[in-house]
Amino acid sequence: GGGMTQELLREYEAVRTQAGLIDYSAWGFVAVRGSDRTGFLQNLLTNDIKALQPGTGCQACLLSPTAKLLADLLVLAEPDAHWLLVHRSRRQSVLDTLERYHIMEDVQLEDWTTRLGLLWLLGPESLAIASEVCAQPITQASAYAHERLAIEGAPLWAIHHGLGRAPGLMVAIDAEQAAWLWQKLLEQGRQHGLVPIGWETLNVLRLEAGVPWYGVDMDETTLLSETGLEEHAASFTKGCYVGQEVLARLQTYGSLSRKLMGLVCDGQKPPQTGDSICHQDEPIGQITSAVYSPALKRPIALGYVKRPWYEAGRAVTITHGANAISATLVKIPQ
């Protein structure tokens, strides 16, 4: 078939049927402590932080006052802190923004990014492998539920986080011990078919799951509503937060000038980032990411499409120089 090397296909199949392990240290941790932290974050982040019980978590975004996307985050609640998982490229921006809004509240920010390593087990065997390594059962839990565990006396933090249909577990550990844990998981996981996977494979899986990546499919010029992330990462009932008025206005009037859409393409060769999306020879948008999808046996892509063309089912053409690929717009799977 299509544009996938044997190596890539092997990693992909492992995650679909057994398990894959990726070093996820591209993500960093910020701990937010202090007695006013919940209210402070509630006023800044898009999701309902007050509703989080210790041991639970959620997706959230940090917006500018004009509802532009400064970062997408995972928020994990513990009894004495809220932890923000943020892509390393956005870490400084998040810290600076929180500091700027921090005036008199009892809030302390701690950057743990270089102190913690993060590994991600993905696939149906993930929990079985982690249970064996930790010598205690880790059972299916809701997304972003998390618990503190230990392996041979070394403290670790397990976070339930899958991708699309693949269940998964993120494991954070002292940075000095991350390489040791990597080996341990691979040894223990061998009988479960665990293989190390790379970013290329993760990219295929995240596109099949419809997950946009910061710095690739969105940046600080993107309105949250253009990405579709607000379906999971924003609360429309919690009241005021930074950027909320603009979001509410867009919700009410539905006047987005462009929207991130999925595309399912004909043929075998994926389009490229920056390729034009056209409707009857008129450019109506641009591709941000594309891969060959083994699940659909054809290329898939994400791209921004201008109003009024962003509707599912519309036939479009993706042009790259003189070449054209036929495609259909689809809603991004949520």
Side-chain angles (χ1 to χ4, degrees):
M4 256 190 138
T5 62
Q6 283 312 108
E7 184 56 28
L8 199 57
L9 204 53
R10 197 178 71 91
E11 292 182 14
Y12 174 89
E13 284 305 327
V15 174
R16 293 298 295 259
T17 58
Q18 291 159 306
L21 178 65
I22 190 162
D23 179 345
Y24 211 60
S25 303
W27 285 69
F29 290 80
V30 174
V32 186
R33 302 188 193 274
S35 58
D36 296 333
R37 68 180 186 278
T38 311
F40 176 71
L41 291 173
Q42 184 78 342
N43 290 333
L44 285 177
L45 301 181
T46 54
N47 220 337
D48 193 347
I49 308 306
K50 280 195 169 139
L52 291 180
Q53 300 300 316
T56 70
C58 67
Q59 291 181 31
C61 297
L62 178 64
L63 304 182
S64 74
T66 55
K68 296 289 197 329
L69 194 58
L70 299 180
D72 61 321
L73 315 158
L74 288 186
V75 185
L76 305 176
E78 290 207 299
D80 59 346
H82 284 78
W83 291 78
L84 310 178
L85 261 74
V86 56
H87 196 277
R88 280 191 178 205
S89 66
R90 305 310 297 157
R91 173 188 88 182
Q92 203 52 53
S93 174
V94 167
L95 283 164
D96 293 348
T97 305
L98 295 184
E99 279 299 355
R100 205 170 55 245
Y101 283 105
H102 177 211
I103 304 160
M104 297 296 287
E105 305 89 347
D106 174 19
V107 170
Q108 296 88 45
L109 304 174
E110 300 166 6
D111 187 358
W112 279 67
T113 301
T114 54
R115 292 160 65 180
L116 291 173
L118 188 60
L119 306 180
W120 197 3
L121 277 167
L122 268 177
E125 296 289 319
S126 305
L127 296 181
I129 294 165
S131 300
E132 285 172 22
V133 169
C134 293
Q136 71 177 91
I138 300 171
T139 51
Q140 197 60 56
S142 53
Y144 319 122
H146 50 94
E147 52 189 325
R148 298 277 180 172
L149 303 165
I151 159 176
E152 293 175 22
L156 58 83
W157 194 10
I159 303 149
H160 290 266
H161 183 18
L163 185 59
R165 286 198 295 272
L169 197 70
M170 283 186 166
V171 186
I173 193 166
D174 187 303
E176 319 268 275
Q177 294 172 309
W180 169 76
L181 179 61
W182 172 269
Q183 280 310 122
K184 202 121 200 83
L185 287 168
L186 284 181
E187 278 160 31
Q188 191 66 50
R190 198 168 291 134
Q191 69 213 44
H192 294 273
L194 177 66
V195 301
I197 67 166
W199 283 92
E200 221 183 321
T201 301
L202 191 65
N203 189 39
V204 173
L205 292 160
R206 68 97 188 178
L207 278 168
E208 287 187 342
V211 176
W213 269 352
Y214 203 99
V216 178
D217 306 297
M218 51 196 184
D219 57 28
E220 58 274 24
T221 67
T222 313
L223 284 166
L224 174 62
S225 307
E226 293 172 344
T227 64
L229 284 174
E230 75 278 7
E231 294 205 19
H232 291 298
S235 161
F236 291 100
T237 53
K238 75 170 211 180
C240 222
Y241 53 87
V242 175
Q244 184 259 339
E245 282 177 32
V246 176
L247 270 192
R249 209 159 54 236
L250 289 168
Q251 283 292 105
T252 310
Y253 300 111
S255 54
L256 280 178
S257 59
R258 60 172 200 163
K259 216 177 193 170
L260 193 62
M261 295 292 290
L263 297 100
V264 177
C265 310
D266 292 351
Q268 297 287 301
K269 201 168 153 27
Q272 290 177 18
T273 299
D275 284 357
S276 272
I277 302 167
C278 299
H279 181 253
Q280 294 166 354
D281 296 336
E282 182 180 348
I284 59 165
Q286 218 174 29
I287 298 292
T288 57
S289 300
V291 292
Y292 177 81
S293 160
L296 293 177
K297 298 193 171 38
R298 53 213 306 212
I300 57 173
L302 287 177
Y304 287 97
V305 178
K306 292 195 293 209
R307 186 176 71 210
W309 289 283
Y310 51 62
E311 54 191 18
R314 182 179 293 285
V316 295
T317 310
I318 301 166
T319 59
H320 181 82
N323 298 330
I325 298 171
S326 300
T328 306
L329 296 182
V330 295
K331 191 172 152 30
I332 297 171
Q334 288 292 343

